[in-house]
Amino acid sequence: MSPAVAPPPAPVIDQTLRDLWVTILRGIEPKLQRSQFITWFKDTTVLGNEEGTLVVGLPLPMFLNWHMEHYRVLTLEAAQAVEPSVRQIVYKVDVGLRDNRERSTDILQFFPEQKRRKLAGRQEVKLAEGIVSKVLNPKYTLEHFVVGANNRLAHAACQAVANQPGGKYNPLFLYGGVGLGKTHLLQATGNAILKQAPKATVVYTTTEDFTNQVIEAIQHQKMEQLRRRYRLVDVLIIDDVQFLANKERTQEEFFHTFNALYEERKQVIISADRPPQELQMEDRLISRFERGMIADVSVPDYETRLAILSEKAAEYEIFLDMHVLQFIAEHVTRNVRELEGILMQAVALYELEQRMPTIKSIAEIMRKLNKDPYVEEEKVGFETPEKRKATFQDLLESVSRYYSVSVQDMIGQSRVREILVPRQIAMFLGKKHLRMSYVRLGEMFSNRDHTTVMNAVEKIEQKQQNDPQLLREVRAIEQELGVV
Ligand code: ADP
Ligand code: MG
């Protein structure tokens, strides 16, 4: 018998470990706010599980303290519920996990949006004669929709339709980019109609669902039945019709349903991401869409963004300082969903730490979500307030906290790799923000020679140019220090 040869080390990550992690996450997820969960467990994974030690991989140094302070016990309990043999959690920072679908866990895939979870089991309602509609979200109302120049016409049209369904504005066609409020308006109109006429059959469906219904009807040869059902609808709301592109059969069914309803003066409300003439579908359908009222929703201006934020903050029952709201409104410009996302994070922060979000903490949140406020800073000419004079001790502490290394090690003699970069960054920041001389810095770092300091500062200066990760880290520390 040949002597036992040690097997080669297992690959750093394998499917079993990731499955294990997803199962553990299932235990953690219900215990946290959605926003916290996404923020702090994104791009994490299990890197090892041996002899009772579960090694959890984190994508950024700044996650380390946070996990140790807030999630270690929770993670251990959740892990033990799955694997009773686990006795301790050990964290390992591995920046290679970041945005790496191969190695880390795509949390949004495994844990899709909360809205659905909230409505679980109630996602659909059966209306008369077996007609199915998505449940209208009562949160979406016309009253809670903030009107600005970007959506005034669309809102007015919805209001008019709500007052008189099947009237002048039929069909009503709303279009605009992602996250600008189309679904909100569609559902709000449905809600408003139902409020005035509770017995009306209001069907809200996504194009995807409609397509599936058609496919199913074809498979089971129940097309006639489906048609008849849809003809009994009083108001048909269909979201995101751009997805009808290339679905000839569904387009055809929709065309007939549309005509039948239209002739009966039943209201049809449609949304899409582009105007009718740009849709890739049959001309006869496009010309039907063009018959009624067409209104667009576009990106809200600063004032409207601010008003939306105030409205949402009131909905979440959180009071936020006006400066904080202004800061968000200035930096999150592309769509309302994003705006709401940041606000949700602020709410989470508030609930978690029982402290009011500040501009600093919001900037931190944005940075975590990769919406670095300082990237847009020049564009909007915004200056972050709350500057204060940092001391050398503050600086050392910030760097130490960020990288989870001790101040002692940083200023000491250790030549361990993990210490080198934090030390160089501390020197760099001392030079840049505290205007300390190389000689003075050398003294502070265990009497090192001033040329050593000079080299370190230059090294960080240069590395920053080609290393966005390093740049981010330096910025995060600067921000924490309040020197930017
Ligand atoms: P779309 O369907 O156009 O992609 P949504 O209707 O889903 O966008 O809007 C995204 C989020 O933004 C929703 O939560 C919605 O309530 C909110 N929202 C968008 N515009 C407004 C507005 N003008 N007032 C209040 N909330 C808005
Ligand atoms: Mg939508």
Side-chain angles (χ1 to χ4, degrees), residues 183 239-240 337:
T183 297
D239 210 349
D240 289 320
R337 194 170 294 153

Side-chain angles (χ1 to χ4, degrees), residues 39-40 62 327 349 358-371 373-374 402 475-477 479-480:
T39 307
W40 295 107
M62 57 175 290
F327 180 80
L349 188 76
T358 58
I359 289 183
K360 195 170 143 192
S361 58
I362 294 286
E364 175 80 354
I365 288 170
M366 289 184 196
R367 202 178 50 71
K368 261 178 249 144
L369 297 176
N370 282 335
K371 298 191 179 48
Y374 301 103
Y402 190 86
R475 277 191 170 169
I477 298 164
Q479 202 176 303
E480 160 99 18

Side-chain angles (χ1 to χ4, degrees), residues 264-442:
E264 299 257 319
R265 301 183 66 86
K266 304 286 181 65
Q267 181 71 44
V268 180
I269 311 174
I270 301 151
S271 87
D273 68 350
R274 63 200 79 180
Q277 65 274 18
E278 285 174 26
L279 289 169
Q280 290 168 356
M281 55 183 76
E282 293 176 32
D283 287 341
R284 56 178 187 164
L285 205 45
I286 291 175
S287 70
R288 288 295 186 282
F289 294 161
E290 286 175 330
R291 254 190 213 170
M293 172 73 186
I294 301 173
D296 73 319
V297 291
S298 55
V299 179
D301 57 21
Y302 169 73
E303 287 77 10
T304 309
R305 294 201 297 277
L306 194 57
I308 291 173
L309 278 171
S310 307
E311 165 72 36
K312 300 280 172 186
E315 274 174 42
Y316 290 117
E317 298 178 321
I318 177 178
F319 172 83
L320 286 177
D321 187 82
M322 199 33 121
H323 288 109
V324 172
L325 293 181
Q326 285 165 349
F327 180 80
I328 302 175
E330 290 202 43
H331 290 102
V332 182
T333 54
R334 273 175 307 180
N335 75 52
V336 182
R337 194 170 294 153
E338 246 174 60
L339 210 58
E340 230 181 339
I342 303 282
L343 193 71
M344 292 290 291
Q345 299 269 331
V347 173
L349 188 76
Y350 174 70
E351 285 172 352
L352 184 73
E353 299 183 10
Q354 295 297 310
R355 69 182 166 94
M356 281 303 162
T358 58
I359 289 183
K360 195 170 143 192
S361 58
I362 294 286
E364 175 80 354
I365 288 170
M366 289 184 196
R367 202 178 50 71
K368 261 178 249 144
L369 297 176
N370 282 335
K371 298 191 179 48
D372 194 332
Y374 301 103
V375 172
E376 284 184 89
E377 183 174 315
E378 282 164 31
K379 221 170 60 196
V380 294
F382 190 85
E383 202 188 319
T384 320
E386 291 198 358
K387 288 194 180 179
R388 70 184 174 90
K389 200 136 182 65
T391 64
F392 182 63
Q393 190 58 34
D394 291 339
L395 189 159
L396 289 178
E397 279 167 14
S398 290
V399 179
S400 126
R401 227 173 318 159
Y402 190 86
Y403 289 105
S404 301
V405 297
S406 77
V407 171
Q408 276 321 310
D409 283 345
M410 218 158 46
I411 59 177
Q413 303 287 358
S414 164
R415 299 207 42 86
V416 186
R417 241 189 54 220
E418 282 73 35
I419 307 286
L420 281 185
V421 172
R423 183 183 292 144
Q424 289 169 345
I425 288 179
M427 291 174 173
F428 166 79
L429 292 174
K431 180 78 190 146
K432 182 174 169 194
H433 294 292
L434 307 183
R435 308 263 154 96
M436 293 167 76
S437 68
Y438 294 126
V439 175
R440 177 91 185 104
L441 277 166

Side-chain angles (χ1 to χ4, degrees), residues 94-201:
D94 181 344
V95 290
L97 291 173
R98 214 161 167 218
D99 294 327
N100 187 332
R101 293 283 147 268
E102 300 280 291
R103 297 191 53 219
S104 64
T105 317
D106 185 356
I107 204 161
L108 293 173
Q109 180 204 323
F110 290 104
F111 301 89
E113 231 186 313
Q114 195 182 29
K115 262 190 223 154
R116 278 196 213 144
R117 216 182 47 185
K118 269 196 190 153
L119 291 174
R122 276 200 60 223
Q123 271 197 57
E124 293 188 331
V125 274
K126 288 219 185 322
L127 303 171
E129 303 276 340
I131 308 162
V132 174
S133 169
K134 289 258 190 232
V135 171
L136 291 172
N137 186 339
K139 191 180 95 176
Y140 292 137
T141 64
L142 291 174
E143 292 76 41
H144 284 153
F145 189 80
V146 176
V147 181
N150 61 309
N151 58 29
R152 183 161 287 124
L153 183 63
H155 180 264
C158 288
Q159 192 70 63
V161 165
N163 293 338
Q164 201 194 350
K168 261 194 310 195
Y169 297 153
N170 198 19
L172 171 60
F173 187 103
L174 299 184
Y175 72 91
V178 173
L180 296 178
K182 300 181 299 295
T183 297
H184 184 137
L185 280 174
L186 256 51
Q187 296 220 3
T189 311
N191 277 324
I193 292 172
L194 278 173
K195 207 166 156 195
Q196 289 174 33
K199 296 234 165 74
T201 309

Side-chain angles (χ1 to χ4, degrees), residues 204-217:
Y204 168 87
T205 179
T206 60
T207 299
E208 201 188 348
D209 280 353
F210 185 77
T211 307
N212 289 338
Q213 287 172 38
V214 171
I215 293 170
E216 216 182 290

Side-chain angles (χ1 to χ4, degrees), residues 1-12:
M1 234 170 53
S2 60
V5 178
V12 188

